[in-house]
Amino acid sequence: MIDDRAAATPPEDLEILVHGERRGRKAQLRLWLRMLSITKLVGQEIRRRLRVEFDATLPQFDLLAQLDREPAGLRLGDLSRRAMVTNANVTGLAERLEADGLVERAPLDGDRRVVVARLTPLGRARFGAMAKAHEGWLRELMGDVDEATLDDALRLLGAVKASATRKLGPPDGRPDA
Amino acid sequence: MIDDRAAATPPEDLEILVHGERRGRKAQLRLWLRMLSITKLVGQEIRRRLRVEFDATLPQFDLLAQLDREPAGLRLGDLSRRAMVTNANVTGLAERLEADGLVERAPLDGDRRVVVARLTPLGRARFGAMAKAHEGWLRELMGDVDEATLDDALRLLGAVKASATRKLGPPDGRPDA
DNA sequence: ACATGGTATTTTAAGCTTAAAATAACGGGT
DNA sequence: ACCCGTTATTTTAAGCTTAAAATACCATGT
């Protein structure tokens, strides 16, 4: 059990931002900074391990993950939407993954504007190994947190995500349709 | 109140990754993906508004925030540690902020290796305006979430952050000292 | 004085990221 | 057949990010 008083280093990171102000207010800001510092902290480690163990980057892993779920492949546009990056971004990512032999690109017949990307057998195998390791790393990094806490956090952040999604106008703004 | 069944668009984003597998397992992975999708979603909007309203970037805002708390300025090394980015990164960021007149850099006398950065009066004023807007944007984006939920999420994520920090070996690894 | 090991910052090379502009192709109307 | 608005992708320009190498300086021992 961790004793706060023993932490000779207070959160000397991004979260320091909130500090000076009268505490108690700014719940949104504090939560935002905490999410940012966690994603930076964990993200940096995940990136490091992906690089060392698989010579890959996190965005590349994200793209492979989306393609792994769609054996028939995905249009680059759909891929960019799912990976939450711009079309322009996907172009370069897909190029490098193709150069590495993990992904194939082909025009869609019937609409020559469209490019469909799908995993090669090598890509599928490689992603499988990466996903297994990736999941283990997360279990390791969050190892001190019991599952009930993780489930609760997931649920509460669900409300945060829903709020942000709503405020940002779900790209397609139909109430229910 | 949001009804899950009404969501005609299932989470067709990063979180789709977890889906295929048997649900119930992988609490760590699910929470991780949720944090990533929220930080991407909200982060993209924050970046957009910083660009449109202040012609600034989020990393620049982060740096200004750290400097605003230290009127005497900070060494670039300390700045990079607090902003959770590499030294190399801070070099360029500080250059651009200096070019914009928001930051000054000066060698530390007594140790000519060290560069200290601090806000200019313009930088201080500009950051004040940005911070005020920034806080409002977060309140807006998380507006549908009541404060108790935010506080709970903050607390639970505190456990997650503590776990990750511990596993990553707090740069200074003394047990208690 | 001088070598030597360590520290602070910058440079370099590669890749990620985005907005905005450019390119290419589709499809409906005339 | 041709125009024209729309859609899918790529290119471009600017900035962010990191690891690794380079530079500059400090500090200690000899």
Side-chain angles (χ1 to χ4, degrees):
Chain A
M1 52 212 57
I2 280 305
D3 178 353
D4 276 337
R5 290 164 314 181
T9 23
E12 201 170 65
D13 67 8
L14 286 181
E15 293 193 36
I16 232 175
L17 204 165
V18 84
H19 244 127
E21 323 297 331
R22 52 249 182 241
R23 299 191 138 228
R25 290 277 169 290
K26 313 198 181 202
Q28 297 84 3
L29 179 57
R30 296 166 75 81
L31 178 58
W32 172 240
L33 293 174
R34 181 146 299 171
M35 285 192 288
L36 275 188
S37 59
I38 293 173
T39 53
K40 268 198 171 166
L41 199 64
V42 175
Q44 279 166 356
E45 182 66 7
I46 299 287
R47 285 167 207 269
R48 194 183 66 76
R49 295 189 188 188
L50 279 175
R51 178 174 50 78
V52 170
E53 299 194 17
F54 297 100
D55 192 31
T57 67
L58 187 48
Q60 287 170 8
F61 175 71
D62 288 344
L63 238 60
L64 295 178
Q66 297 302 328
L67 292 176
D68 187 63
R69 297 187 41 70
E70 299 288 347
L74 278 174
R75 296 161 170 238
L76 296 191
D78 291 336
L79 194 48
S80 77
R81 211 159 30 71
R82 292 208 196 175
M84 300 176 80
V85 297
T86 57
N87 281 352
N89 201 341
V90 166
T91 297
L93 246 6
E95 265 171 8
R96 283 180 289 270
L97 288 170
E98 187 169 54
D100 289 344
L102 306 181
V103 160
E104 289 175 335
R105 285 181 295 177
L108 182 70
D109 43 274
D111 188 342
R112 279 178 304 177
R113 292 169 303 179
V114 175
V115 177
V116 174
R118 59 186 179 77
L119 291 186
T120 62
L122 174 61
R124 192 165 304 280
R126 185 75 60 83
F127 172 73
M130 291 168 72
K132 187 169 152 60
H134 177 259
E135 198 184 321
W137 298 335
L138 289 173
R139 261 201 302 271
E140 174 191 343
L141 291 170
M142 301 187 188
D144 293 345
V145 187
D146 62 279
E147 200 141 324
T149 299
L150 296 173
D151 289 345
D152 285 349
L154 182 72
R155 183 173 46 78
L156 298 178
L157 291 188
V160 173
K161 183 175 178 180
S163 175
T165 301
R166 221 164 323 138
K167 302 295 183 180
L168 292 178
D172 179 4
R174 292 169 306 176
D176 52 300
Chain B
M1 48 220 57
I2 280 305
D3 179 351
D4 277 338
R5 291 163 314 181
T9 22
E12 201 171 64
D13 66 9
L14 286 181
E15 292 193 35
I16 232 175
L17 204 165
V18 84
H19 244 126
E21 323 297 331
R22 51 247 180 240
R23 300 191 139 227
R25 290 279 170 290
K26 312 197 184 205
Q28 296 85 0
L29 178 58
R30 297 166 74 82
L31 178 58
W32 172 241
L33 294 174
R34 181 146 299 172
M35 285 192 287
L36 275 189
S37 59
I38 293 174
T39 53
K40 267 199 172 167
L41 199 64
V42 174
Q44 279 166 355
E45 182 66 8
I46 299 287
R47 284 167 208 270
R48 194 183 65 75
R49 295 189 188 189
L50 279 174
R51 178 175 49 77
V52 170
E53 299 193 19
F54 297 99
D55 193 30
T57 68
L58 187 48
Q60 288 171 7
F61 175 71
D62 287 344
L63 239 60
L64 295 178
Q66 297 302 330
L67 292 176
D68 187 64
R69 296 187 43 71
E70 298 288 347
L74 279 174
R75 295 160 171 240
L76 296 192
D78 291 337
L79 194 48
S80 78
R81 210 159 30 71
R82 292 206 196 176
M84 299 176 79
V85 298
T86 58
N87 281 352
N89 200 341
V90 166
T91 296
L93 246 6
E95 264 170 11
R96 283 180 289 271
L97 288 170
E98 187 169 55
D100 290 344
L102 305 181
V103 159
E104 290 175 334
R105 284 182 295 176
L108 182 70
D109 42 273
D111 190 341
R112 278 177 306 177
R113 291 170 304 179
V114 174
V115 178
V116 174
R118 59 186 178 78
L119 290 187
T120 62
L122 175 61
R124 194 165 302 280
R126 185 73 62 81
F127 173 72
M130 291 168 71
K132 187 169 150 60
H134 177 259
E135 197 184 321
W137 298 335
L138 288 174
R139 262 202 300 274
E140 174 191 344
L141 292 171
M142 301 188 189
D144 294 345
V145 186
D146 62 277
E147 200 141 323
T149 299
L150 296 173
D151 289 344
D152 285 349
L154 183 71
R155 182 173 48 79
L156 298 179
L157 291 188
V160 173
K161 183 175 178 179
S163 175
T165 301
R166 220 164 323 139
K167 303 295 182 181
L168 292 178
D172 179 3
R174 291 169 305 175
D176 51 303

